[in-house]
Amino acid sequence: MARGKLRIYLGSAPGVGKTYAMLSEGHRRVERGTDCVVAFVEHHGRPRTEVMLHGLEQIRRREIEYRGSAFTEMDVDAVLERGPAVALVDELAHTNVPGSRNTKRWQDVEELLSAGIDVVSTVNIQHLESLGDVVESITGVRQRETVPDEVVRRANQIELVDMSPQALRRRMAHGNIYKSDKVDAALSNYFRPGNLTALRELALLWVADRVDEYLQQYRGEHNIRSTWQARERIVVGLTGGPEGRTLIRRAARMAAKGSGSEILAVYVARSDGLTSASPKELAVQRTLVEDLGGSFHHVIGDNVPASLLEFAQGVNATQIVLGSSRRKAWQYVFGPGVGATVARESGPDLDVHIVTHEEAAKGRGLPVARGARLGRVRSIWGWLSGVAGPALLTLLLTNVDADLGLANDMLLFLTLTVAAALLGGLLPALASAAFGSFLLNYYFTPPVHQITIADPKNILAIAIFFLVAVSVASVVDLAARRTHQAARLRAESEILSFLAGSVLRGETTLDALLERVRETFAMESVALLERAGDVEPWTCAGSVGPHPVARPEDADVDMPVGDHMALALSGRVLPAEDRRVLGAFAAQAAVVLDRQRLVDKAEESRKLAEGNRIRTALLAAVSHDLRTPLASIKAAVTSLRSDDVDWSEDDEAELLEGIEDGADRLDHLVGNLLDMSRLNTGTVTPIIREIDLDEVVPMALGGVPEDSVELDIPESLPMVAVDSGLLERAVANIVENAVKYSPATEPVLVAASALGDRVEVRVADRGPGVPDESKERIFEPFQRYGDAPRGAGVGLGLAVARGFVESMGGTLTAEDTPGGGMTMVLTLRAVPGPGPVVADLSAQVTS
């Protein structure tokens, strides 16, 4: 018998509509004539889901007694006996009541599949076994009911049932998921927007991974070996030519294929001959790559392919994008080019993409500049041309029966001398001239095979040959040196141009500048050191890279900046010509450091100005809010002391009560003023201890009427690490503010819950609420929202509360209360220990 097929509706959270979608699929199959039955569906009292059961055949459930209570589970035997073509089974991760046929419902489903019955089932992403720890860290709830990932992965079809967090919360608020008495708790805990967004992302990524498995399986069956790109780091090699824009846009399209891909454009300035690179074009390309979300890097390297690969490996790149060479066909005789070299040496873990463009094979704007620092390979070729070349030419001419004449022989030897000068510089060319003169004398000037010369004209000819060869070699070498100097100066000017441009673009952080120095000169670490005097120790003002030096004497390269500052580099010794550019970087680093310190001083001045503003606001508030209770107290005292009126006991009691109320208001106002002063001066020092919330929160409610607050603090909450006095003052201010704005008929709800390694206290009122753009402003000093009367306080309560909470390592934020009003969310650090017993709302409903 063929095994049945499994189809699963996967949801990101309870209530997204998995059961509804499964029942809709059942109706479609029945309409098509398929024998489809409901093996087990739990509608949880949802009217719309219950309506979908109408018209579908339902298999009776099995009743099981457990600890004096009756439970119903899917009757596997009844379903097997009925033998339908398709069975609808809800809640795949459900744990059966002890005494059932199997421990887990997914095991029941396996029996149905083995019997050849197709099954349509549902499961939430949080019930997958491999995601248990991740879900707990997000929601603070450990899922007790799980299903092995392999069971879900073996499904023939997985369909994601998706819904935005906002739509799901609206569905919850309307009572379409839980009963009304559980809505507020669910919205405040498990069904918070952040939780739902994270669970939705988990579901999308898990399904995407499953899609990739299907794709790999398909490619394997059809012998397709190519792969697709995802989450790549792509390096774009730029030459400064017009093709750079095409390469950047191509890399951006490649990066768009995978989430989290990164683009790094790099331009390598070569000191031994720089190609024609337009600074204006490089600036345009830099702007383009930054607009596309990438970053631009400028490095110096004598070997462009090696420098490019070194950079790519240093940033852990997975791909390199290069343009097709602009060389013409005949120019390939000088070497394979950068693209071919990079592709050959990149290795198996680094893909190289050669992108065609309109400038391919059109040639370069200017010839390649030759440098004087030729490197080992160029020197070897120069000596071979200057020494081995004349020897091979002599062997060729002496074995070929052709008398070219002494003049033509001299021209051939002069050609080798020029080649030696071009390849190896002056010394190989001089050696070539001397060796060529000897060979011309010995093999081609009568009498041959002797060092003597019979004809005086030949003596003059060989002497002129030697002089011309030396002169040509000197001129060629001088031109090469001048070209090298021009190329180097052009490279330096481009670096200095980028350095100046970085200042104009606002890249003024010291770390960014030091990182640019490290990249440009290929160093391991860079540090900016300073000291107060000649005999004072050096201190590090900023550094990048591993193991920065502590003294300029310990660095491979040090560049003084003034009398008491130096830029120290470690990694390699720089040539003397590089120190000019390094000096510009060092001077800029000193300027950036001074600018940072000026910015810090400006920030201090801003804080002082803010303090002055607060003091001004304080005087304005005190001028009214302190005088109001003082005026009422003075009026009551004056009335009591008056001999003209005979006050009754009730009148005296009323006047004394007014005095007491005014004194309480003054005490509360002065207390908040003192607390704000302590916060502004940084003199609040919390004494952190481990306490229970139910010991502190009730004490904070003494300043409000007893029937104005509804308290819900579970005894099972973990202890929190706080200062009990500061927490009591913070909660008191929050509750008093909520009671002030909440209607008299609507009590303020103070509830607490545990979420992972933190505990939340939520104070929810049913007042007018606060718009999103004003939620942060209400925590500023002397802020009173809306039309609060002047006598309602000076607007310090929430500012003091947030200051106290943050001093204890917690947070205080404002959210909307479902149904209207505002909820203050106070988050505190829980003491590590055994996890609390938290109601698993998601376990009650998994559809």
Side-chain angles (χ1 to χ4, degrees):
M1 179 181 298
R3 179 181 171 85
K5 296 181 180 180
L6 175 61
R7 177 173 182 172
I8 294 178
Y9 286 94
L10 177 68
S12 59
V16 295
K18 302 178 303 301
T19 303
Y20 192 93
M22 180 184 68
L23 294 175
S24 299
E25 176 64 18
H27 280 285
R28 285 193 294 269
R29 298 204 181 195
V30 169
E31 292 173 359
R32 294 197 300 263
T34 304
D35 184 12
C36 179
V37 301
V38 176
F40 186 94
V41 168
E42 185 63 60
H43 57 74
H44 296 285
R46 301 173 187 172
R48 297 185 179 181
T49 305
E50 187 176 2
V51 169
M52 293 297 295
L53 288 171
H54 298 167
L56 295 176
E57 179 185 348
Q58 301 184 46
I59 304 297
R60 71 179 188 277
R61 300 183 182 182
R62 179 186 176 190
E63 292 189 1
I64 301 175
E65 292 285 339
Y66 180 68
R67 294 184 178 179
S69 300
F71 299 89
T72 59
E73 296 287 359
M74 182 174 68
D75 193 336
V76 179
D77 292 328
V79 178
L80 293 175
E81 181 180 353
R82 169 66 173 76
V86 179
L88 307 182
V89 182
D90 203 6
E91 301 178 5
L92 184 63
H94 173 74
T95 300
N96 294 329
V97 175
S100 301
R101 182 188 186 101
N102 295 300
T103 304
K104 295 285 189 177
R105 182 163 294 164
W106 64 265
Q107 296 172 329
D108 298 336
V109 170
E110 286 293 322
E111 287 197 34
L112 300 182
L113 295 173
S114 299
I117 300 175
D118 293 346
V119 176
V120 182
S121 187
T122 64
V123 70
N124 279 327
I125 190 66
Q126 66 264 28
H127 293 294
L128 295 182
E129 198 169 80
S130 66
L131 300 178
D133 293 338
V134 179
V135 173
E136 182 179 12
S137 66
I138 294 172
T139 64
V141 177
R142 182 67 181 182
Q143 300 296 328
R144 296 189 298 268
E145 296 185 332
T146 60
V147 58
D149 290 44
E150 186 59 28
V151 174
V152 182
R153 289 183 181 276
R154 285 203 306 264
N156 301 90
Q157 186 175 351
I158 300 176
E159 183 172 335
L160 178 65
V161 182
D162 188 30
M163 178 176 288
S164 69
Q166 294 78 11
L168 184 56
R169 283 173 59 85
R170 285 196 299 269
R171 178 180 289 185
M172 172 70 73
H174 294 159
N176 294 332
I177 301 177
Y178 292 152
K179 294 181 180 179
S180 58
D181 59 339
K182 296 181 179 179
V183 169
D184 287 344
L187 289 175
S188 301
N189 292 279
Y190 194 88
F191 284 81
R192 295 186 302 171
N195 291 358
L196 297 178
T197 301
L199 292 174
R200 187 187 190 195
E201 183 178 9
L202 279 178
L204 292 171
L205 291 175
W206 195 92
V207 173
D209 181 60
R210 184 69 177 117
V211 171
D212 184 57
E213 291 180 7
Y214 280 127
L215 185 59
Q216 295 298 334
Q217 180 181 353
Y218 176 83
R219 289 176 172 176
E221 293 174 352
H222 293 77
N223 198 26
I224 300 175
R225 299 184 178 181
S226 60
T227 57
W228 58 294
Q229 309 294 329
R231 300 187 183 184
E232 301 285 354
R233 178 167 289 178
I234 304 172
V235 169
V236 184
L238 301 178
T239 64
E243 76 280 3
R245 305 183 199 182
T246 302
L247 302 184
I248 294 171
R249 294 190 178 97
R250 180 70 179 98
R253 291 195 297 272
M254 295 168 60
K257 295 181 180 179
S259 175
S261 298
E262 183 180 0
I263 305 174
L264 301 95
V266 58
Y267 171 67
V268 180
R270 188 168 55 186
S271 62
D272 64 341
L274 190 66
T275 57
S276 55
S278 167
K280 181 179 179 180
E281 180 64 28
L282 284 176
V284 171
Q285 293 174 12
R286 180 186 187 118
T287 302
L288 176 62
V289 73
E290 290 176 347
D291 290 342
L292 293 174
S295 58
F296 187 92
H297 303 266
H298 191 163
V299 300
I300 291 180
D302 293 334
N303 189 322
V304 174
S307 299
L308 186 60
L309 286 172
E310 182 180 1
F311 177 86
Q313 293 164 359
V315 299
N316 295 322
T318 57
Q319 301 184 60
I320 295 180
V321 176
L322 300 173
S324 297
S325 178
R326 286 183 286 156
R327 293 183 176 188
K328 293 185 178 295
W330 62 269
Q331 292 178 312
Y332 281 96
V333 299
F334 299 106
V338 174
T341 304
V342 171
R344 184 180 67 247
E345 300 179 1
S346 61
D349 298 328
L350 188 59
D351 297 335
V352 179
H353 302 266
I354 305 297
V355 179
T356 186
H357 50 86
E358 295 179 354
E359 303 297 323
K362 290 186 177 181
R364 300 182 182 273
L366 292 175
V368 177
R370 306 286 180 175
R373 291 194 308 169
L374 302 173
R376 183 177 180 182
V377 175
R378 290 282 299 277
S379 297
I380 291 175
W381 277 106
W383 284 104
L384 288 176
S385 300
V387 177
L392 293 176
L393 179 61
T394 300
L395 181 63
L396 177 65
L397 294 177
T398 54
N399 287 279
V400 174
D401 187 15
D403 187 9
L404 300 178
L406 183 59
N408 291 327
D409 294 338
M410 288 183 177
L411 290 176
L412 292 176
F413 278 94
L414 182 61
T415 302
L416 292 177
T417 301
V418 173
L422 290 173
L423 292 174
L426 181 61
L427 291 180
L430 294 177
S432 177
F435 189 45
S437 300
F438 170 78
L439 294 177
L440 284 172
N441 178 19
Y442 192 81
Y443 287 98
F444 302 100
T445 304
V448 296
H449 301 142
Q450 295 182 16
I451 61 173
T452 59
I453 301 176
D455 190 349
K457 296 181 180 180
N458 292 335
I459 297 177
L460 180 62
I462 292 177
I464 292 175
F465 164 79
F466 181 79
L467 293 176
V468 170
V470 171
S471 300
V472 170
S474 300
V475 171
V476 170
D477 181 71
L478 180 61
R481 291 179 182 276
R482 294 290 183 265
T483 303
H484 163 68
Q485 293 173 0
R488 183 162 193 86
L489 290 174
R490 185 163 61 246
E492 291 178 2
S493 65
E494 288 178 0
I495 293 174
L496 294 176
S497 174
F498 278 115
L499 181 61
S502 67
V503 178
L504 297 176
R505 287 188 296 272
E507 297 177 359
T508 56
T509 63
L510 182 60
D511 288 344
L513 181 62
L514 296 181
E515 181 63 30
R516 184 72 66 182
V517 174
R518 192 173 73 91
E519 282 184 358
T520 301
F521 297 100
M523 289 293 180
E524 294 180 2
S525 65
V526 179
L528 183 62
L529 307 176
E530 62 176 351
R531 59 182 178 180
D534 294 335
V535 296
E536 298 294 329
W538 290 95
T539 59
C540 182
S543 64
V544 295
H547 311 298
V549 298
R551 300 184 307 164
E553 297 81 6
D554 300 332
D556 295 320
V557 181
D558 71 284
M559 174 59 66
V561 187
D563 296 331
H564 303 121
M565 187 176 294
L567 189 64
L569 295 81
S570 298
R572 65 187 180 94
V573 177
L574 288 180
E577 54 264 35
D578 284 341
R579 296 183 64 88
R580 181 168 46 207
V581 178
L582 182 60
F585 273 109
Q588 183 62 28
V591 172
V592 169
L593 181 61
D594 290 339
R595 184 181 292 117
Q596 281 188 356
R597 290 172 175 171
L598 290 175
V599 170
D600 293 339
K601 290 182 179 179
E603 179 64 18
E604 293 178 4
S605 300
R606 188 195 65 79
K607 291 181 179 179
L608 291 175
E610 179 67 16
N612 291 332
R613 186 191 68 81
I614 292 177
R615 281 190 289 272
T616 302
L618 172 61
L619 292 174
V622 168
S623 65
H624 180 280
D625 293 286
L626 278 179
R627 293 178 61 187
T628 300
L630 281 175
S632 63
I633 292 174
K634 181 174 178 57
V637 171
T638 302
S639 299
L640 287 173
R641 296 187 62 187
S642 174
D643 297 331
D644 299 336
V645 181
D646 186 13
W647 301 101
S648 65
E649 292 183 0
D650 292 340
D651 292 337
E652 290 182 355
E654 184 177 352
L655 290 173
L656 290 173
E657 184 180 356
I659 294 173
E660 185 179 10
D661 289 343
D664 289 341
R665 288 173 58 189
L666 280 176
D667 179 68
H668 181 74
L669 181 59
V670 172
N672 275 337
L673 290 173
L674 292 176
D675 290 337
M676 180 53 62
S677 176
R678 293 167 59 199
L679 289 171
N680 286 335
T681 56
T683 58
V684 176
T685 305
I687 302 176
I688 304 299
R689 296 177 180 173
E690 299 178 1
I691 64 171
D692 289 319
L693 280 179
D694 54 5
E695 298 177 0
V696 178
V697 175
M699 298 175 61
L701 308 182
V704 297
E706 294 183 0
D707 58 348
S708 62
V709 177
E710 181 180 335
L711 196 60
D712 181 16
I713 307 294
E715 296 181 357
S716 59
L717 287 177
M719 302 180 74
V720 292
V722 296
D723 183 309
S724 58
L726 296 183
L727 178 60
E728 181 181 345
R729 292 295 302 275
V731 174
N733 284 358
I734 297 171
V735 172
E736 290 174 7
N737 184 79
V739 171
K740 183 191 306 179
Y741 289 98
S742 190
T745 57
E746 294 286 348
V748 173
L749 175 62
V750 180
S753 59
L755 297 172
D757 60 349
R758 61 194 187 277
V759 174
E760 281 191 354
V761 179
R762 307 179 72 88
V763 181
D765 64 61
R766 293 294 180 179
V770 176
D772 291 339
E773 61 271 13
S774 301
K775 282 186 171 59
E776 280 301 311
R777 194 164 63 249
I778 62 176
F779 292 103
E780 297 177 3
F782 308 106
Q783 294 292 327
R784 289 179 294 190
Y785 180 72
D787 56 354
R790 291 290 299 177
V794 295
L796 287 175
L798 293 181
V800 170
R802 172 175 274 189
F804 282 171
V805 171
E806 290 180 348
S807 70
M808 296 183 292
T811 60
L812 179 61
T813 57
E815 296 180 356
D816 291 329
T817 301
M822 187 171 63
T823 298
M824 290 290 174
V825 183
L826 193 158
T827 305
L828 303 170
R829 291 182 290 110
V831 177
V837 179
V838 181
D840 187 356
L841 294 174
S842 64
Q844 301 176 22
V845 180
T846 57
S847 60

